[in-house]
């Protein structure tokens, strides 16, 4: 009798084992090969989805930080109050409203500083007009008030003020400006001159500490605008982008162009 007839089950089992072994080897080979995601970059675990996921988280984090920064800024400026005993070598006021100048001249009358600089006055505004507006005596203006006309913006104020301080040799200065403008003003001044002691004297137009300022559109708009400018000023300091903000430079650039 043929041998294949004697062991029919053994041959069948052998064939089955060979087939299963080949299938196992094929499966192992496929597992060792790099898998390709179905759908390419738009796949559920694709690179684009990961970028969009982490990018979205980064945007949310940045927005949260900016919002938290605004709330901190708004709280700090709405609670600013002038010092009870204001005293320094000199006084500077950053123009932007007659109330600022009135307050600065009043500080000079009280003897809070030896001399006053009104920085960033419009070229068409004369010292006599400012004196009459503040109802000050000619003697006070003649002896102790300087009017600066070069500054175009807060950066220009810082440059004009620092030069004036250097010329007179002052070590401490009262800075008079609106409360919402104070953080950016001090940032620019201290960036320009770290040796001088700048003492903030905020001008408060209205009591925002005990009112719901966020429900007043004009106040909210002003705070948001100034906060945005403060962020730009901070970023400008980080990247080293400079500008002197002076009229004389602006005229020179315009003439050369």
């Amino acid at each position: 009798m043929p041998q294949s007839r004697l062991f029919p089950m053994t041959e069948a089992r052998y064939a089955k084992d060979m087939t299963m072994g080949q299938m196992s080897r094929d499966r192992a080979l496929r597992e060792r090969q790099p898998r390709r995601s179905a759908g390419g970059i738009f796949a559920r675990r694709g690179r684009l989805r990961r970028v969009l996921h982490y990018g979205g988280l980064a945007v949310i984090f940045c927005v949260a930080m900016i919002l938290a920064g605004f709330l901190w800024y708004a709280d700090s400026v709405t609670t600013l109050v002038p010092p009870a005993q204001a005293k320094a070598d000199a006084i500077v006021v950053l123009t932007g409203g007659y109330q600022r100048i009135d307050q600065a001249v009043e500080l000079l009358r009280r003897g809070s500083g030896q001399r006053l600089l009104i920085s960033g006055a419009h070229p068409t505004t004369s010292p006599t007009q400012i004196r009459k507006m503040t109802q000050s005596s000619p003697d006070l203006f003649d002896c102790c008030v300087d009017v600066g006309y070069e500054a175009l913006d807060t950066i220009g104020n810082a440059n004009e003020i620092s030069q004036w301080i250097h010329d007179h040799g002052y070590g401490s200065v009262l800075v008079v400006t609106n409360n919402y403008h104070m953080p950016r003003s001090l940032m620019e001044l201290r960036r320009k001159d770290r040796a001088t002691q700048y003492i903030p004297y905020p001008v408060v137009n209205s009591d925002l500490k005990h009112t719901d300022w966020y429900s007043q559109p004009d106040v909210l708009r002003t705070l948001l605008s100034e906060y945005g400018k403060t962020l730009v000023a901070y970023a400008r300091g980080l990247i080293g982008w400079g500008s002197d903000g002076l009229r004389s430079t602006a005229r020179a650039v315009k003439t050369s162009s």
Side-chain angles (χ1 to χ4, degrees):
M1 180 179 295
Q3 188 174 359
S4 59
R5 296 289 184 87
L6 293 175
F7 307 103
M9 295 302 294
T10 301
E11 292 182 358
R13 186 178 297 108
Y14 176 76
K16 182 178 181 181
D17 290 343
M18 290 293 292
T19 303
M20 293 298 293
Q22 184 63 40
M23 292 176 62
S24 298
R25 288 191 294 273
D26 292 343
R27 184 165 55 250
L29 180 62
R30 287 196 302 270
E31 289 178 354
R32 285 195 297 270
Q33 293 177 348
R35 296 183 179 182
R36 295 183 179 180
S37 301
I41 61 175
F42 295 101
R44 186 172 184 178
R45 296 181 179 274
R47 180 177 299 176
L48 181 60
R49 280 182 175 263
R50 290 198 301 271
V51 170
L52 292 176
H53 173 72
Y54 291 113
L57 292 178
V59 169
I60 293 173
F61 176 77
C62 290
V63 170
M65 291 296 292
I66 292 173
L67 179 59
F70 172 70
L71 294 176
W72 175 85
Y73 164 81
D75 180 69
S76 64
V77 300
T78 54
T79 54
L80 275 176
V81 293
Q85 300 294 329
K87 186 70 176 177
D89 294 340
I91 307 164
V92 297
V93 56
L94 288 71
T95 56
Y98 283 118
Q99 190 174 1
R100 302 182 188 181
I101 301 176
D102 282 336
Q103 187 63 73
V105 172
E106 180 59 30
L107 288 169
L108 182 64
R109 286 197 192 101
R110 285 191 234 155
S112 297
Q114 304 170 20
R115 196 171 186 85
L116 167 65
L117 170 65
I118 301 172
S119 174
H122 194 275
T124 61
T125 305
S126 67
T128 302
Q129 290 175 314
I130 298 174
R131 179 182 61 78
K132 291 180 178 179
M133 179 269 298
T134 57
Q135 299 180 353
S136 303
S137 66
D139 292 341
L140 181 67
F141 260 68
D142 290 342
C143 81
C144 306
V145 177
D146 296 318
V147 181
Y149 294 100
E150 291 300 313
L152 283 167
D153 50 25
T154 305
I155 303 172
N157 288 135
N159 285 297
E160 188 173 57
I161 289 169
S162 64
Q163 184 60 52
W164 182 78
I165 292 172
H166 180 267
D167 291 343
H168 291 82
Y170 296 130
S172 61
V173 174
L174 283 172
V175 180
V176 181
T177 189
N178 286 91
N179 54 349
Y180 59 83
H181 188 229
M182 187 63 73
R184 185 160 61 99
S185 301
L186 292 176
M187 183 189 302
E188 298 291 359
L189 286 166
R190 288 167 178 164
R191 181 180 294 158
K192 183 67 180 177
D193 179 10
R194 297 184 180 275
T196 302
Q197 179 188 7
Y198 294 104
I199 305 169
Y201 194 97
V203 175
V204 181
N205 294 326
S206 59
D207 183 13
L208 299 177
K209 183 178 180 180
H210 301 97
T211 58
D212 296 331
W213 54 265
Y214 46 82
S215 64
Q216 303 178 36
D218 290 340
V219 175
L220 183 59
R221 190 181 306 112
T222 299
L223 291 177
L224 284 171
S225 174
E226 188 59 35
Y227 175 65
K229 293 176 182 178
T230 303
L231 289 181
V232 171
Y234 180 75
R236 185 178 60 82
L238 290 179
I239 64 177
W241 177 72
S243 170
D244 55 17
L246 298 175
R247 283 192 174 91
S248 59
T249 305
R251 286 198 298 267
V253 170
K254 185 176 180 180
T255 303
S256 62
S257 61

